[in-house]
């Protein structure tokens, strides 16, 4: 049942951040999403490890989104904190994705090729949906190039997040009990 709620809360966080960005009103969606993430980490069996995974995923995602945007393939609405970085609301979305690694996406553990394939498909589809909902637009270098770069990023991201999780849990004195 926890995996179901992880999925539902991920979807709510995604929709509220996208709708907030489309209307340039992201403060409350981001606060709500961060509150959910704090509770998620606090309730996690390995809170410190979960936090490490989420922070690594956010750094990965911010770096990837920032690069893609600065290459002219993607434009985000509500660009706080800087027009040169991906927006903070996107940071929370990357954190939300990482929070599903031990929850609703745990069935992908040990299946890196499937994770890569699903990431390469679902990641770009998520951005396309967000753009169609008004949270951004494709940049001057085009949709096809943007979708291709996002497919590469997400195809790498999903297996990488599982690898980071396994590495942290495997090095922890407290193994998956």
């Amino acid at each position: 049942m926890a995996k179901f709620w992880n999925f539902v809360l991920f979807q709510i966080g995604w929709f509220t951040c996208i709708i907030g960005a489309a209307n340039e009103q992201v403060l409350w969606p981001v606060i709500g999403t961060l509150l959910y993430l704090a509770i998620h980490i606090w309730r996690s069996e390995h809170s410190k490890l979960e936090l490490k995974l989420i922070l690594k995923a956010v750094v990965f995602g911010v770096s990837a989104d920032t690069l893609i945007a600065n290459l002219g393939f993607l434009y985000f609405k509500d660009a706080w904190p800087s027009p040169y970085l991906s927006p903070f609301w996107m940071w929370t979305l990357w954190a939300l994705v990482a929070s599903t690694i031990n929850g609703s996406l745990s069935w992908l553990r040990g299946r890196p090729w499937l994770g890569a394939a699903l990431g390469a498909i679902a990641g770009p589809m998520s951005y396309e949906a967000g753009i169609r909902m008004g949270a951004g637009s494709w940049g001057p270098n085009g949709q096809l190039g943007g979708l291709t770069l996002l497919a590469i990023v997400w195809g790498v991201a999903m297996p990488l997040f599982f690898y980071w999780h396994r590495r942290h849990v495997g090095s922890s004195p407290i193994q998956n009990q």
Side-chain angles (χ1 to χ4, degrees):
M1 190 60 141
K3 290 179 184 182
F4 171 77
W5 286 111
N6 178 251
F7 177 75
V8 168
L9 293 170
F10 168 82
Q11 294 298 320
I12 291 170
W14 187 88
F15 275 106
T16 58
C17 284
I18 295 299
I19 292 167
N23 293 297
E24 297 184 32
Q25 299 288 322
V26 295
L27 178 64
W28 291 112
V30 166
I31 289 172
T33 302
L34 291 174
L35 179 61
Y36 161 70
L37 287 165
I39 293 168
H40 169 79
I41 292 166
W42 175 66
R43 294 196 59 195
S44 174
E45 186 177 347
H46 306 291
S47 298
K48 288 182 183 178
L49 302 178
E50 191 73 13
L51 178 60
K52 283 183 183 181
L53 172 64
I54 288 171
L55 291 175
K56 283 183 176 184
V58 169
V59 169
F60 177 89
V62 169
S63 300
D65 285 345
T66 297
L67 178 63
I68 293 170
N70 285 319
L71 288 173
F73 290 100
L74 195 55
Y75 165 77
F76 296 106
K77 273 184 106 175
D78 205 337
W80 186 87
S82 165
Y84 303 106
L85 287 174
S86 73
F88 192 72
W89 59 269
M90 281 297 296
W91 305 5
T92 61
L93 294 182
W94 279 96
L96 270 177
V97 169
S99 77
T100 64
I101 295 299
N102 288 318
S104 58
L105 290 181
S106 64
W107 62 275
L108 285 172
R109 189 173 292 115
R111 299 177 175 134
W113 292 109
L114 182 57
L118 289 177
I121 295 167
M125 287 175 57
S126 176
Y127 283 69
E128 179 66 27
I131 286 169
R132 288 178 184 238
M133 293 172 70
S137 62
W138 295 110
N141 288 335
Q143 178 183 19
L144 183 59
L147 287 170
T148 302
L149 288 173
L150 288 168
I152 293 167
V153 164
W154 281 94
V156 169
M158 294 312 297
L160 182 62
F161 294 172
F162 280 102
Y163 169 77
W164 284 339
H165 173 261
R166 185 181 72 240
R167 198 175 105 219
H168 286 307
V169 170
S171 66
S172 169
I174 303 170
Q175 297 293 319
N176 278 341
Q177 298 173 347

